[in-house]
Structures are given as C-alpha cells and as structure tokens.
Amino acid sequence: FQLYGYCYQDSNDIPDTLTTITELGSPLEMIQLLQTSWEDRFRICLSLVRLLHYLAHSPLGSVTLLDFRPRQFVIVDGELKVTDLDDASIEESSCTSNSDCFMEFPARNFTLPCSVEGRCQSMNEKRNLYNAYRFFFTYLLPHSAPSSLRPLLDKIVNATGNLNKHGNAKYFLFYPSPSANSEFTQKCVKSANTEYRRVPEAFIPDENYRCWPSYHHKGCLLSVFDVNEAIEICDSYSQCKAFVLTNQTTWTGRQLVFFKMASNHIVPDPDKITYVKVTD
C-alpha cells in the first residue's frame, strides 16, 4: 500500500499519535468480485501472491498478518493491497518440540517442524498462505476459469490448501502473458463448422444481449485470444449471430469483443472488424 506521508504528534490528550496518509482504495466486496471477469479476479490473486512473497522475505524478516481477512484489504487499480498493519507480527513462535508448532484453522489443523534454533519453521509464511487460500484463492481462482487452465488451477489451489512447500512458487507458472495465452488458448479452441463473413472497418452499434461475465453491463463484451476463440464463444450462445473485434485489450493483452444477436444495422468504424454468422 503506497504511503504518501505521515505526521507524528505527541499531545497531552493523545500521546504517541501517528497519522498516515495513504492512497485511496475501494473496499473489497467478495460478492462483487465473484461477478467480475476471471481475468480481473486472477489479477487480484496475482497481486496477493506478490504480497505473500514480500511478507515472507521482507527486510524485517518473515511477517505474518494475524488478522488476515478481506476487510483488511482494498482494491487499487485492479490490484489487491493491504491497508491495516496493526496486527502484523515478525515474531516466529518459539518451540521445544513439533507439538508446539500447532496451527489451528476452522477447517484444518497443521503441525510444523520445530527447528534446532527453537523456532517453528516458516510459521508466519504458512499462516499467511493458508489464510490466502481460504479467504481468496479457493473462491476467486477456480470460478469460471478458462477450461484449459482448470487442471493447473486445481493443483495450485490444492497445493496452497495443503501448505505445499513449493505451492507459492507455482503461482507464477500460470501468469497469463501473451505467450502463455497462446499456449492455453490454442489447446482449447475447436474447429468451428459455422461460417462467418468478415466485414472490415465496421461496427454493430445495437443488437446487444447480456452475458456473464461481461465487461459491459448492458451487453456481452468478453476477452478473447484470437478470432477462433471468438467464433467458439459465439457458437456457444444461441442468440449470438455476429461479433465485433475492437482495438481494446485487457491487462493480459487479450482482445475485447462485442457479441451481438443480429447484424441488421452495420455502421463504418475504422477501429473495428465485424464477423457475421452466415449459416447455423
């Protein structure tokens, strides 16, 4: 979370007062997040992974957030940031045996090894990891994810839920860069039997229908890797009779496409390409 400034004041009424000035973020509402696109939810999870990595390797040592819940976070420019550090701790639990390194959660319990130095090994990091799993990853990652990514996502979610030692590093393996998009999208795109007529520099201003999830609340605006994926999506909706490629992309580089239920009114637009379904 970006700190823009702070002010220290010591008065008789309130001693040792510290006021911080930070960037403004939006409160995190899980129900609203579940209604957004998978790419946006993935971006939030990716920012959380970066936060977990920083907390585990901070200049102060491994930091744990004792009150690791959604209300302690905000969304800033599509990314998740922590706002409340009052319950942060750098103290690793001391121990004389493994039984002293017991972590209890509502659904599961874990016992970590006690090191020769008398500290519970990686307890701060693993507490953060499991809380990220139960509050965020288990809800935001699998829900409406691309079909070709689901097996990998299941492995990642299960690894975090089991506090797998290498689970944290695996998050970075499915970052959807353009090259990764090419790999997973080409695997899931099927050959379409439907014929589409390409109309360059054209747009369909009306004929909208709603779909979920959509980047536009009054229409069906989705992201695709290429035309083949757009055709597959259009074929999957019975009301879809055309789609329009825009020159806009998501943060991962995927192209935004409007899906339409008719093509009766086509207007010139140099920044768009329209594809009209010829046969069903």
Side-chain angles (χ1 to χ4, degrees), residues 162-181:
N162 293 324
L163 297 186
N164 187 298
K165 180 179 180 180
H166 303 291
N168 204 352
K170 286 184 179 179
Y171 297 143
F172 298 95
L173 297 179
F174 68 100
Y175 181 83
S177 62
S179 60
N181 270 342

Side-chain angles (χ1 to χ4, degrees), residues 5 22 25 31 37 55 58 63 65 73 79 81 101 104 111 119 153 159 163 211 215 236 251 266 269-270 274:
T22 60
I31 294 179
S37 70
L55 292 175
S58 80
V63 180
L65 302 180
F73 298 85
E79 298 197 0
K81 297 193 177 184
C101 302
E104 184 177 4
T111 300
R119 295 290 179 181
L153 291 173
L163 297 186
C211 66
Y215 287 92
S236 68
W251 70 279
I266 299 179
D269 191 321
T274 293

